[in-house]
């Protein structure tokens, strides 16, 4: 609901710099907010503090050597970044991925999606003022996922697991039993987490109706991912432009109606449930015989260009690669999900108070690694 | 030196000193002053320990456990650290105001303990206006907070202090009205008499009163979920930004000492103070105070923060009308049926409390929503 | 009339919090309790095997950072390369493991230890004999399944839901 204030006092707006060093955990992002008392009138974003020149660096390295660089784009969910890049190069070079590797890719991507949503919800609730309790619960469960990912590839954060034409190494034999236990424990945890927080009156008062992103604005700005789905746009690349083997699995796409912070939080929780469904189906269907893939060591695609996009946890992540018949890409451009989702922040925030600004910014779920590259 | 009137007239002295006390008025005063100061300082340390360990266990982690066995020396370590820090005063600050503020914030809290009964008749001064004295004295702490905000010459401290003053002044009213409900039942303002009159603890006879008092008390002492002023409040760092060293220790002490004071008041008013079967009465008092404090820690761990306009709306639109209705119903019960057993009141009041809370929350609208800019 | 927002959400939340008070916290007390890291861990260091290395420099070409430096000379009598200097700047290394994957002779391994910090930045540049395997520098099973089988199994949180105070 929107109200108009009658100004009894003649007030002047002032400039407040919400600096790059934040109490919230979203990276180095600077907002210059024009406030009138508590009410936000306008914000001006300043970013670029984390620019490392990843796209330029990619021109100097071989195709396989670029994969560690794509890890560092959205540093929270590395598997999906690797996946997008590898799919783009495979499209360019016409390489076919064996089936066993595709199953492993799907399992890794869905595990990464759950882990990313844990971080997103935990950080948003931390900004809302719950002194870390939901954050700690989610983080404990995220540890279980990271143990599994560490078992696959050896590191917890910069995975560097996907290769062009498959994955780097096969799953160890204790992976699938551990995955089974994880799915059972996670299903119990999501029920407990919903019981904990879904009907909490203070959260509903803070997040319901706050920061509404209308459907038209979302489509015009090119928003994708859970933010768009919460505004009512039913679009998910896993179903609309199906890649890998997602067409073999049965899952739903959760959407919200209003597009406020509460809907974004609900959409992420429902997406975690659907990812658990996909994981359960994938675990049962993994083919027994691992296929040995023919991976060329130095990938040498023919000259041309290709664009591949995937449904990363934050939205639509795309890689556009131009090759000129050498061992390094001529140009590689990343469609940064977080940056494009951030363009709607200004419209979402006007008229709300400072405390709402923080929670709205947390609910969009950005990572500065992707914004600045 | 002017000898006080009551020290000269022995019969009036009975009001503050029990007749069988060895040594007369001044020894009694000295003994209890030392006990109260020791009690407050030691309880603050114990309470800090309970809060950190309890909050840690509820967040599925341990609290501090390295300093001393089971982390028992952690508050001591905190105290030593804070004492050794440099005392920085901003150059443009108002020196006298800046220096006086912690003292004015801390003294009323210590003075509250003068009228809280540790045992039957064991208090510093058994004033027959006990509870009125408490309400009067605890309002002075607000002045201390405002002086801290003003004396810091920092516009964010001033904003934080003004928010704090607005919140405290608003929450005084439901607090006072709920206390009147208790007084009607007990028939006397003296704290010792209130405990003696509680054959059934007033938490059962006045359930709505207890709930309102607990919420108003949490807001008065800036505990979560109403801790906008104290805990890393998103942007502005609160009224005690510019304080360091011993002065900051005073503010930190004020916060926990007020929490203990409110717990002690709740114990005396609603949980029948020092009464209990087997253990010595002062031990019962201690246990009940710690239980009430633990409930405060419990709510702090679970709930996110409310926004400032939601805070004010809660005080004026939810607590204040319910406190009035509570007072009205209590008065009717005591006037028309003064002689029947209080257990009937217990049943009736619990039903009325549940009905009122459910109905009122349906009608209650929180906050303003989005403003047109 | 639907009844909501009358406090039931808060009560449910508080029930969950208090139930956590009675569970074991998921905390492991480092350094008394140490968990086993992954068998394929890509640790801080690179371990080189002088016998198997032939000086082909495939690892140096595969490294995205260019952290490996190899100087070889020809040995015409035995008809092979002789590696004079094999230098790795582990400060520049991003532990991606591409060199281990690239080596055709299985002469490179990633390190398995994780407490190998140095006091000076120059100590991070390691050459020749400092890179050999030793008891302080165990090797991990990244890309070497036969070594991975011999290492202890990784402790998983899904197996240990409660953490005991003493390590068993």
């Amino acid at each position: 609901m929107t109200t108009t204030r009658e100004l009894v006092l003649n007030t002047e707006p002032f400039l407040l710099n919400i600096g790059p060093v934040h109490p919230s955990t979203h990276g180095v992002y600077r907002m210059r907010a024009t406030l009138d008392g508590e009410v936000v009138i306008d914000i001006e974003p300043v970013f670029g503090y984390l620019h490392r020149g990843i796209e330029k660096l990619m021109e100097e390295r071989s195709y396989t050597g670029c994969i560690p660089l794509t890890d560092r784009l959205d540093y929270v969910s590395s598997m999906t970044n690797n996946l997008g890049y590898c799919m783009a190069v495979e499209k360019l070079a016409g390489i076919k991925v064996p089936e066993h590797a595709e199953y492993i890719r799907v399992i890794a991507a869905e595990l990464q999606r759950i882990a990313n949503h844990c971080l997103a919800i935990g950080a948003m609730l931390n900004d809302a003022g719950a002194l870390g309790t939901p954050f700690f619960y989610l983080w404990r469960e995220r540890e279980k996922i990271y143990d599994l990912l560490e078992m696959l590839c050896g590191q917890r954060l910069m995975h560097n697991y996907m290769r062009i034409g498959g994955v780097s190494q096969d799953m160890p034999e204790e992976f699938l039993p551990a995955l089974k236990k994880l799915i059972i424990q996670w299903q119990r945890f999501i029920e407990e987490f919903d019981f904990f927080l879904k009907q909490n009156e203070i959260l509903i008062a803070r997040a319901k109706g706050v920061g509404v992103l209308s459907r038209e604005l979302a489509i015009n700005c090119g928003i994708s991912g859970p933010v768009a789905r919460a505004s009512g746009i039913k679009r998910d690349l896993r179903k609309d432009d199906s890649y890998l083997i997602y067409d073999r699995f049965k899952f739903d796409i959760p959407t919200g109606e209003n597009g406020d912070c509460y809907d974004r939080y609900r959409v992420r929780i429902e997406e975690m449930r659907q990812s658990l469904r996909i994981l359960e189906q994938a675990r049962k269907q993994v083919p027994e015989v691992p296929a040995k893939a023919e991976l060329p060591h130095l990938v040498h695609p023919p000259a041309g260009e290709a664009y591949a996009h995937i449904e990363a946890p934050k939205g639509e992540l795309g890689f556009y690669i131009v090759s000129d018949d050498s061992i390094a890409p001529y140009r590689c451009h990343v469609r940064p999900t977080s940056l494009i989702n951030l363009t709607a922040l200004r419209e979402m925030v006007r008229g709300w108070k400072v405390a709402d600004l923080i929670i709205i910014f947390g609910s969009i779920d950005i990572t500065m690694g992707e914004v600045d590259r | 030196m002017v000898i006080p009137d009551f020290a000269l007239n022995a019969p009036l002295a009975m009001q503050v000193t029990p007749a069988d006390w060895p040594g007369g008025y001044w020894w009694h005063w000295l003994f209890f002053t030392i006990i109260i100061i020791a009690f407050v300082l030691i309880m603050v340390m114990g309470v800090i320990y309970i809060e950190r360990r309890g909050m840690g266990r509820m967040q599925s982690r341990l609290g501090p456990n390295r300093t001393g066995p089971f982390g028992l020396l952690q508050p001591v370590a905190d105290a030593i650290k804070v004492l050794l820090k440099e005392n920085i005063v901003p150059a443009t600050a108002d020196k006298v105001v800046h220096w006086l503020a912690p003292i004015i914030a801390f003294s009323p809290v210590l003075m509250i303990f003068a009228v809280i009964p540790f045992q039957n008749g064991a208090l510093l001064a058994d004033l027959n206006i006990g509870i009125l004295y408490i309400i009067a004295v605890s309002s002075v702490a607000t002045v201390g907070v405002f002086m801290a905000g003003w004396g810091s010459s920092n516009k964010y401290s001033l904003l934080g202090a003004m928010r704090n003053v607005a919140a405290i002044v608003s929450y005084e009213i439901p607090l006072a009205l709920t206390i009147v409900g208790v007084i009607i039942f007990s028939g006397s303002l003296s704290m010792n008499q209130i405990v003696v009159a509680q054959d059934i603890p007033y938490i059962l006879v006045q359930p709505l009163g207890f709930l309102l008092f607990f919420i108003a008390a949490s807001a008065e002492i800036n505990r979560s979920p109403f801790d906008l002023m104290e805990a890393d409040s998103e942007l502005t760092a609160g009224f005690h930004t510019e304080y360091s060293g011993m002065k900051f220790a005073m503010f930190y002490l004020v916060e926990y000492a007020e929490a203990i004071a409110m717990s002690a008041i709740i114990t005396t008013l609603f949980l029948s103070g020092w009464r209990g079967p087997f253990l010595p009465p002062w031990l019962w008092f201690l246990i009940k105070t710690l239980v009430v404090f633990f409930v405060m820690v419990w709510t702090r761990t679970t709930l996110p923060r409310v926004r400032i306009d939601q805070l004010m709306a809660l005080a004026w639109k939810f607590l204040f009308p319910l406190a009035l209705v509570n007072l009205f119903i209590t008065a009717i019960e005591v006037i028309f049926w003064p002689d029947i057993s209080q257990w009937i009141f217990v049943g009736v009041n619990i039903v009325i409390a549940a009905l009122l809370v459910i109905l009122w929350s349906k009608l209650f609208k929180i906050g303003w929503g989005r403003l047109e800019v | 009339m639907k009844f909501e927002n009358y406090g039931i959400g808060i009560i449910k939340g508080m029930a969950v919090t208090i139930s956590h008070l009675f569970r074991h916290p998921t905390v492991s007390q480092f350094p008394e309790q140490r968990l086993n890291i992954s068998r394929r861990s890509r640790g801080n260091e690179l371990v080189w095997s002088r016998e198997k290395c032939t000086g082909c420099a495939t690892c140096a070409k595969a490294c995205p950072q260019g952290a490996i430096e190899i100087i070889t000379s020809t040995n015409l009598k035995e008809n092979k390369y002789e590696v004079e200097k094999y230098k790795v700047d582990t400060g520049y290394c991003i532990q991606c493991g591409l060199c281990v994957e690239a080596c055709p002779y299985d002469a490179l391994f990633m390190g398995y230890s994780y407490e190998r910090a140095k006091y000076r930045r120059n100590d991070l540049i390691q050459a020749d004999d400092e890179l050999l395997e030793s008891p302080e520098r165990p090797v991990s099973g990244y890309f070497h399944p036969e070594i991975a089988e011999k290492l202890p199994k990784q402790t998983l949180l899904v197996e240990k839901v409660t953490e005991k105070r003493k390590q068993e």
Side-chain angles (χ1 to χ4, degrees), chain A residues 288-305:
Chain A
E288 283 295 325
V289 177
K292 193 139 173 39
E294 289 291 321
L295 294 182
H297 184 68
L298 270 185
V299 178
H300 203 128
E305 57 192 27

PDB file of all heavy atoms in Angstrom, chain A residues 288-305:
ATOM      1  N   GLU A 288      25.424 -47.567 -14.720  1.00  0.00           N
ATOM      2  CA  GLU A 288      26.430 -48.280 -13.939  1.00  0.00           C
ATOM      3  C   GLU A 288      27.787 -48.231 -14.592  1.00  0.00           C
ATOM      4  O   GLU A 288      28.794 -48.127 -13.939  1.00  0.00           O
ATOM      5  CB  GLU A 288      26.001 -49.746 -13.761  1.00  0.00           C
ATOM      6  CG  GLU A 288      24.940 -49.929 -12.729  1.00  0.00           C
ATOM      7  CD  GLU A 288      25.433 -49.564 -11.353  1.00  0.00           C
ATOM      8  OE1 GLU A 288      26.617 -49.803 -11.052  1.00  0.00           O
ATOM      9  OE2 GLU A 288      24.637 -49.031 -10.578  1.00  0.00           O
ATOM     10  N   VAL A 289      27.788 -48.335 -15.911  1.00  0.00           N
ATOM     11  CA  VAL A 289      29.071 -48.451 -16.588  1.00  0.00           C
ATOM     12  C   VAL A 289      29.584 -47.066 -16.908  1.00  0.00           C
ATOM     13  O   VAL A 289      28.962 -46.360 -17.671  1.00  0.00           O
ATOM     14  CB  VAL A 289      28.909 -49.260 -17.890  1.00  0.00           C
ATOM     15  CG1 VAL A 289      30.207 -49.327 -18.619  1.00  0.00           C
ATOM     16  CG2 VAL A 289      28.379 -50.637 -17.559  1.00  0.00           C
ATOM     17  N   PRO A 290      30.689 -46.669 -16.304  1.00  0.00           N
ATOM     18  CA  PRO A 290      31.188 -45.346 -16.671  1.00  0.00           C
ATOM     19  C   PRO A 290      31.795 -45.378 -18.069  1.00  0.00           C
ATOM     20  O   PRO A 290      32.471 -46.320 -18.437  1.00  0.00           O
ATOM     21  CB  PRO A 290      32.269 -45.083 -15.621  1.00  0.00           C
ATOM     22  CG  PRO A 290      32.674 -46.403 -15.133  1.00  0.00           C
ATOM     23  CD  PRO A 290      31.528 -47.333 -15.331  1.00  0.00           C
ATOM     24  N   ALA A 291      31.445 -44.349 -18.818  1.00  0.00           N
ATOM     25  CA  ALA A 291      31.969 -44.280 -20.172  1.00  0.00           C
ATOM     26  C   ALA A 291      33.279 -43.522 -20.146  1.00  0.00           C
ATOM     27  O   ALA A 291      33.411 -42.536 -19.463  1.00  0.00           O
ATOM     28  CB  ALA A 291      30.983 -43.565 -21.091  1.00  0.00           C
ATOM     29  N   LYS A 292      34.247 -44.013 -20.870  1.00  0.00           N
ATOM     30  CA  LYS A 292      35.514 -43.300 -20.921  1.00  0.00           C
ATOM     31  C   LYS A 292      35.427 -42.299 -22.042  1.00  0.00           C
ATOM     32  O   LYS A 292      35.136 -42.636 -23.165  1.00  0.00           O
ATOM     33  CB  LYS A 292      36.638 -44.307 -21.179  1.00  0.00           C
ATOM     34  CG  LYS A 292      38.007 -43.748 -20.956  1.00  0.00           C
ATOM     35  CD  LYS A 292      38.871 -44.771 -20.247  1.00  0.00           C
ATOM     36  CE  LYS A 292      40.316 -44.313 -20.140  1.00  0.00           C
ATOM     37  NZ  LYS A 292      40.483 -42.914 -19.858  1.00  0.00           N
ATOM     38  N   ALA A 293      35.641 -41.056 -21.708  1.00  0.00           N
ATOM     39  CA  ALA A 293      35.430 -40.013 -22.695  1.00  0.00           C
ATOM     40  C   ALA A 293      36.716 -39.749 -23.450  1.00  0.00           C
ATOM     41  O   ALA A 293      37.804 -39.871 -22.920  1.00  0.00           O
ATOM     42  CB  ALA A 293      34.954 -38.737 -22.031  1.00  0.00           C
ATOM     43  N   GLU A 294      36.578 -39.373 -24.696  1.00  0.00           N
ATOM     44  CA  GLU A 294      37.714 -39.030 -25.535  1.00  0.00           C
ATOM     45  C   GLU A 294      37.938 -37.539 -25.391  1.00  0.00           C
ATOM     46  O   GLU A 294      37.310 -36.747 -26.084  1.00  0.00           O
ATOM     47  CB  GLU A 294      37.404 -39.367 -26.995  1.00  0.00           C
ATOM     48  CG  GLU A 294      37.365 -40.832 -27.279  1.00  0.00           C
ATOM     49  CD  GLU A 294      38.755 -41.425 -27.161  1.00  0.00           C
ATOM     50  OE1 GLU A 294      39.707 -40.757 -27.585  1.00  0.00           O
ATOM     51  OE2 GLU A 294      38.873 -42.526 -26.631  1.00  0.00           O
ATOM     52  N   LEU A 295      38.758 -37.150 -24.456  1.00  0.00           N
ATOM     53  CA  LEU A 295      38.981 -35.729 -24.274  1.00  0.00           C
ATOM     54  C   LEU A 295      40.284 -35.325 -24.940  1.00  0.00           C
ATOM     55  O   LEU A 295      41.333 -35.788 -24.536  1.00  0.00           O
ATOM     56  CB  LEU A 295      39.087 -35.390 -22.793  1.00  0.00           C
ATOM     57  CG  LEU A 295      37.850 -35.566 -21.906  1.00  0.00           C
ATOM     58  CD1 LEU A 295      38.188 -35.121 -20.505  1.00  0.00           C
ATOM     59  CD2 LEU A 295      36.706 -34.766 -22.449  1.00  0.00           C
ATOM     60  N   PRO A 296      40.227 -34.484 -25.929  1.00  0.00           N
ATOM     61  CA  PRO A 296      41.487 -33.962 -26.476  1.00  0.00           C
ATOM     62  C   PRO A 296      42.147 -33.084 -25.435  1.00  0.00           C
ATOM     63  O   PRO A 296      41.465 -32.440 -24.650  1.00  0.00           O
ATOM     64  CB  PRO A 296      41.041 -33.137 -27.683  1.00  0.00           C
ATOM     65  CG  PRO A 296      39.642 -32.803 -27.410  1.00  0.00           C
ATOM     66  CD  PRO A 296      39.073 -33.907 -26.580  1.00  0.00           C
ATOM     67  N   HIS A 297      43.472 -33.083 -25.423  1.00  0.00           N
ATOM     68  CA  HIS A 297      44.115 -32.347 -24.335  1.00  0.00           C
ATOM     69  C   HIS A 297      44.076 -30.857 -24.590  1.00  0.00           C
ATOM     70  O   HIS A 297      43.707 -30.075 -23.721  1.00  0.00           O
ATOM     71  CB  HIS A 297      45.563 -32.814 -24.170  1.00  0.00           C
ATOM     72  CG  HIS A 297      46.194 -32.137 -22.993  1.00  0.00           C
ATOM     73  ND1 HIS A 297      45.791 -32.392 -21.712  1.00  0.00           N
ATOM     74  CD2 HIS A 297      47.135 -31.185 -22.909  1.00  0.00           C
ATOM     75  CE1 HIS A 297      46.498 -31.636 -20.878  1.00  0.00           C
ATOM     76  NE2 HIS A 297      47.312 -30.902 -21.579  1.00  0.00           N
ATOM     77  N   LEU A 298      44.459 -30.451 -25.775  1.00  0.00           N
ATOM     78  CA  LEU A 298      44.343 -29.034 -26.090  1.00  0.00           C
ATOM     79  C   LEU A 298      43.197 -28.884 -27.072  1.00  0.00           C
ATOM     80  O   LEU A 298      43.288 -29.323 -28.212  1.00  0.00           O
ATOM     81  CB  LEU A 298      45.636 -28.533 -26.739  1.00  0.00           C
ATOM     82  CG  LEU A 298      46.707 -28.007 -25.796  1.00  0.00           C
ATOM     83  CD1 LEU A 298      47.845 -27.450 -26.619  1.00  0.00           C
ATOM     84  CD2 LEU A 298      46.162 -26.947 -24.892  1.00  0.00           C
ATOM     85  N   VAL A 299      42.151 -28.276 -26.597  1.00  0.00           N
ATOM     86  CA  VAL A 299      40.959 -28.140 -27.429  1.00  0.00           C
ATOM     87  C   VAL A 299      41.205 -27.117 -28.515  1.00  0.00           C
ATOM     88  O   VAL A 299      41.700 -26.029 -28.255  1.00  0.00           O
ATOM     89  CB  VAL A 299      39.771 -27.701 -26.552  1.00  0.00           C
ATOM     90  CG1 VAL A 299      38.550 -27.511 -27.384  1.00  0.00           C
ATOM     91  CG2 VAL A 299      39.548 -28.733 -25.486  1.00  0.00           C
ATOM     92  N   HIS A 300      40.848 -27.432 -29.712  1.00  0.00           N
ATOM     93  CA  HIS A 300      41.169 -26.562 -30.838  1.00  0.00           C
ATOM     94  C   HIS A 300      39.937 -26.429 -31.712  1.00  0.00           C
ATOM     95  O   HIS A 300      39.832 -27.097 -32.732  1.00  0.00           O
ATOM     96  CB  HIS A 300      42.314 -27.222 -31.619  1.00  0.00           C
ATOM     97  CG  HIS A 300      43.074 -26.239 -32.425  1.00  0.00           C
ATOM     98  ND1 HIS A 300      44.433 -26.156 -32.341  1.00  0.00           N
ATOM     99  CD2 HIS A 300      42.684 -25.317 -33.313  1.00  0.00           C
ATOM    100  CE1 HIS A 300      44.856 -25.213 -33.167  1.00  0.00           C
ATOM    101  NE2 HIS A 300      43.813 -24.697 -33.759  1.00  0.00           N
ATOM    102  N   PRO A 301      38.981 -25.608 -31.270  1.00  0.00           N
ATOM    103  CA  PRO A 301      37.745 -25.552 -32.055  1.00  0.00           C
ATOM    104  C   PRO A 301      37.946 -24.769 -33.352  1.00  0.00           C
ATOM    105  O   PRO A 301      38.847 -23.944 -33.437  1.00  0.00           O
ATOM    106  CB  PRO A 301      36.775 -24.833 -31.121  1.00  0.00           C
ATOM    107  CG  PRO A 301      37.630 -24.081 -30.200  1.00  0.00           C
ATOM    108  CD  PRO A 301      38.929 -24.766 -30.098  1.00  0.00           C
ATOM    109  N   PRO A 302      37.093 -25.011 -34.354  1.00  0.00           N
ATOM    110  CA  PRO A 302      37.186 -24.248 -35.592  1.00  0.00           C
ATOM    111  C   PRO A 302      36.734 -22.814 -35.359  1.00  0.00           C
ATOM    112  O   PRO A 302      36.144 -22.481 -34.343  1.00  0.00           O
ATOM    113  CB  PRO A 302      36.215 -24.978 -36.525  1.00  0.00           C
ATOM    114  CG  PRO A 302      35.287 -25.671 -35.637  1.00  0.00           C
ATOM    115  CD  PRO A 302      36.047 -26.024 -34.406  1.00  0.00           C
ATOM    116  N   ALA A 303      37.036 -21.952 -36.323  1.00  0.00           N
ATOM    117  CA  ALA A 303      36.695 -20.537 -36.160  1.00  0.00           C
ATOM    118  C   ALA A 303      35.190 -20.377 -36.178  1.00  0.00           C
ATOM    119  O   ALA A 303      34.477 -21.075 -36.895  1.00  0.00           O
ATOM    120  CB  ALA A 303      37.336 -19.727 -37.285  1.00  0.00           C
ATOM    121  N   GLY A 304      34.672 -19.472 -35.380  1.00  0.00           N
ATOM    122  CA  GLY A 304      33.223 -19.281 -35.316  1.00  0.00           C
ATOM    123  C   GLY A 304      32.861 -18.686 -33.976  1.00  0.00           C
ATOM    124  O   GLY A 304      33.721 -18.240 -33.219  1.00  0.00           O
ATOM    125  N   GLU A 305      31.580 -18.659 -33.689  1.00  0.00           N
ATOM    126  CA  GLU A 305      31.135 -18.124 -32.419  1.00  0.00           C
ATOM    127  C   GLU A 305      29.991 -18.974 -31.906  1.00  0.00           C
ATOM    128  O   GLU A 305      29.273 -19.613 -32.672  1.00  0.00           O
ATOM    129  CB  GLU A 305      30.678 -16.677 -32.589  1.00  0.00           C
ATOM    130  CG  GLU A 305      29.596 -16.535 -33.623  1.00  0.00           C
ATOM    131  CD  GLU A 305      29.374 -15.088 -33.987  1.00  0.00           C
ATOM    132  OE1 GLU A 305      30.309 -14.297 -33.862  1.00  0.00           O
ATOM    133  OE2 GLU A 305      28.256 -14.772 -34.380  1.00  0.00           O
TER     134      GLU A 305
END
